[in-house]
Amino acid sequence: MYARIAGTGSYLPEKVLTNHDLEKLVDTSDKWITERTGIKKRHIAAEGETTCDMAEIAARRALEMAGRRAVDIDLIVLATTTPDKVFPSTACLLQKRLDIHGCAAFDIQAVCTGFVYALSIADRFIRTGGARCALVIGAEALSRLLDWTDRTTCVLFGDGAGAVMLEATDAPGIMSTHLHADGSYEHLLHVPAGVGQGYGRLIEGEAFMQMKGNEVFRMAVRTLGRIVDETLAANAIDKEDIDWIIPHQANHRIIEATAHKLKMSMDRVVVTIDEHGNTSAASIPLALDVAVRDGRIRRGEILIMEAFGGGFTWGSALLKY
Ligand code: COA
């Protein structure tokens, strides 16, 4: 038994924030952001617009492409670092919106690697007969975790959601997934505040993301190279067999380094960072949906997804679309 992607969907908030808009907020420039990151603009959730709102639209679009109805779903796995509430999970909130009842629904939290983690979990459910039709989502309102006076982080991120419908099938599909984490790097990328300290004790500034960008950058490049090797070796396939890389969109230079390692030209890499910024768990399913809908990715092609994020966490998926 394998899992295959039967449909994709995505959503981006209406509000667009350009690099020029950011020049008015912090001491930065379109030139610096473009050269160092590749980002030109990002979408920002409207006031009151939540992760679940975005996830619902992406999910309905994926359902429609798959030709499925919400009642067909027997598993919801939603990756987010910005849940609507502490609980219930955003997956449960989404299940209610879709008016379905009884199937397992839960969130997973692996920051920018979240979608790869969610996809891997759903794949394992399907392979072992625990589900036949799984909704897998990455959705984030990351703008709410940003200190909009900190130029080292606020220029990098955006909001959005992406979803896939996974179906049980007798041929791949998802060929393998690879998940890793190393919690000893917590200090390089984190939001200090949390329930552990009591919400009543939130210290100003601690509710926002803090990142040592330079060190994260170096680790990301090294680690993504290794995970690509691990994925190819596990499947005994060559670099040349890969049709598309769908990377997590954190920095254009990190994406280029991975493509270089695979000796793939950038026109085989799906790049959305210029338009979306880093949307954390949403970035891979958003990029996938863009390239499926514009006709670049076609049935039967081999895709590799790879991601790196806070934790640190990192992971990959190899699949036949
Ligand atoms: N505008 C202008 N200048 C900025 C700036 C901004 N938005 N942000 C930082 N700078 C300045 C710094 O203060 C520093 O100035 P200094 O040399 O006078 O001290 C200079 O630019 C270089 O900063 P540095 O952090 O070394 O730049 P960099 O080339 O490493 O690029 C990142 C910074 C954040 C773009 C890059 O490190 C990165 O992408 N890191 C990984 C981020 C990531 O992937 N995070 C999420 C994991 S999924």
Side-chain angles (χ1 to χ4, degrees), residues 110-217:
V111 205
C112 297
T113 318
F115 179 76
V116 176
Y117 266 66
L119 192 74
S120 177
I121 292 164
D123 176 49
R124 287 162 207 250
F125 264 83
I126 288 177
R127 278 176 191 253
T128 53
R132 293 196 60 81
C133 184
L135 176 61
V136 184
I137 299 169
E140 300 279 16
L142 225 74
S143 60
R144 309 231 161 89
L145 288 182
L146 298 175
D147 175 355
W148 288 96
T149 64
D150 175 9
R151 70 177 182 172
T152 69
T153 51
C154 77
V155 303
L156 302 174
F157 297 90
D159 301 332
V164 301
M165 284 303 312
L166 284 188
E167 274 178 3
T169 167
D170 52 11
I174 297 177
M175 292 146 81
S176 72
T177 57
H178 306 265
L179 304 181
H180 298 280
D182 187 343
S184 64
Y185 293 98
E186 169 197 359
H187 58 290
L188 294 183
L189 177 55
H190 66 142
V191 176
V195 184
Q197 295 150 16
Y199 277 122
R201 290 183 51 222
L202 278 186
I203 301 159
E204 198 173 328
E206 294 218 331
F208 300 126
M209 183 187 305
Q210 297 179 9
M211 178 172 69
K212 297 201 167 64
N214 214 299
E215 290 170 63
V216 175
F217 185 95

Side-chain angles (χ1 to χ4, degrees), residues 26-29 32-33 35-37 39 111-113 150-157 189 209 211-218 220 248-254 278 280 307-310 312-313:
V26 286
D27 179 17
T28 192
S29 65
W32 191 95
I33 302 171
E35 285 177 6
R36 300 289 179 117
T37 73
I39 301 168
V111 205
C112 297
T113 318
D150 175 9
R151 70 177 182 172
T152 69
T153 51
C154 77
V155 303
L156 302 174
F157 297 90
L189 177 55
M209 183 187 305
M211 178 172 69
K212 297 201 167 64
N214 214 299
E215 290 170 63
V216 175
F217 185 95
R218 283 200 300 272
H248 168 51
Q249 314 278 325
N251 185 309
H252 199 272
R253 290 180 293 146
I254 298 176
N278 179 348
S280 191
F308 181 89
F312 289 145
T313 54

Side-chain angles (χ1 to χ4, degrees), residues 69-305:
R69 295 177 312 145
V71 290
D72 298 332
I73 297 168
D74 58 10
L75 172 69
I76 301 174
V77 189
L78 190 148
T80 190
T81 309
T82 49
D84 287 24
K85 299 183 170 190
V86 173
F87 72 86
S89 68
T90 307
C92 284
L93 302 179
L94 176 63
Q95 187 195 42
K96 179 180 165 192
R97 299 267 189 98
L98 296 174
D99 196 21
I100 52 178
H101 310 271
C103 73
F106 55 92
D107 287 2
I108 78 106
Q109 211 272 58
V111 205
C112 297
T113 318
F115 179 76
V116 176
Y117 266 66
L119 192 74
S120 177
I121 292 164
D123 176 49
R124 287 162 207 250
F125 264 83
I126 288 177
R127 278 176 191 253
T128 53
R132 293 196 60 81
C133 184
L135 176 61
V136 184
I137 299 169
E140 300 279 16
L142 225 74
S143 60
R144 309 231 161 89
L145 288 182
L146 298 175
D147 175 355
W148 288 96
T149 64
D150 175 9
R151 70 177 182 172
T152 69
T153 51
C154 77
V155 303
L156 302 174
F157 297 90
D159 301 332
V164 301
M165 284 303 312
L166 284 188
E167 274 178 3
T169 167
D170 52 11
I174 297 177
M175 292 146 81
S176 72
T177 57
H178 306 265
L179 304 181
H180 298 280
D182 187 343
S184 64
Y185 293 98
E186 169 197 359
H187 58 290
L188 294 183
L189 177 55
H190 66 142
V191 176
V195 184
Q197 295 150 16
Y199 277 122
R201 290 183 51 222
L202 278 186
I203 301 159
E204 198 173 328
E206 294 218 331
F208 300 126
M209 183 187 305
Q210 297 179 9
M211 178 172 69
K212 297 201 167 64
N214 214 299
E215 290 170 63
V216 175
F217 185 95
R218 283 200 300 272
M219 272 295 290
V221 169
R222 268 206 307 277
T223 310
L224 289 170
R226 277 208 310 272
I227 193 116
V228 164
D229 287 341
E230 178 187 336
T231 312
L232 297 178
N235 292 279
I237 68 162
D238 295 325
K239 299 177 173 105
E240 297 74 44
D241 298 326
I242 309 266
D243 294 303
W244 293 100
I245 311 180
I246 306 171
H248 168 51
Q249 314 278 325
N251 185 309
H252 199 272
R253 290 180 293 146
I254 298 176
I255 295 172
E256 273 175 346
T258 313
H260 183 72
K261 171 139 187 96
L262 276 170
K263 296 195 171 54
M264 277 177 82
S265 83
M266 284 302 287
D267 55 12
R268 304 305 280 171
V269 183
V270 181
V271 177
T272 53
I273 186 156
D274 50 335
E275 302 263 319
H276 301 172
N278 179 348
T279 57
S280 191
S283 92
I284 288 181
L286 261 164
L288 174 69
D289 187 49
V290 166
V292 164
R293 285 179 191 265
D294 70 19
R296 267 180 289 171
I297 294 179
R298 286 178 297 205
R299 286 286 171 200
E301 291 187 318
I302 303 287
L303 323 181
I304 186 167
M305 300 172 175

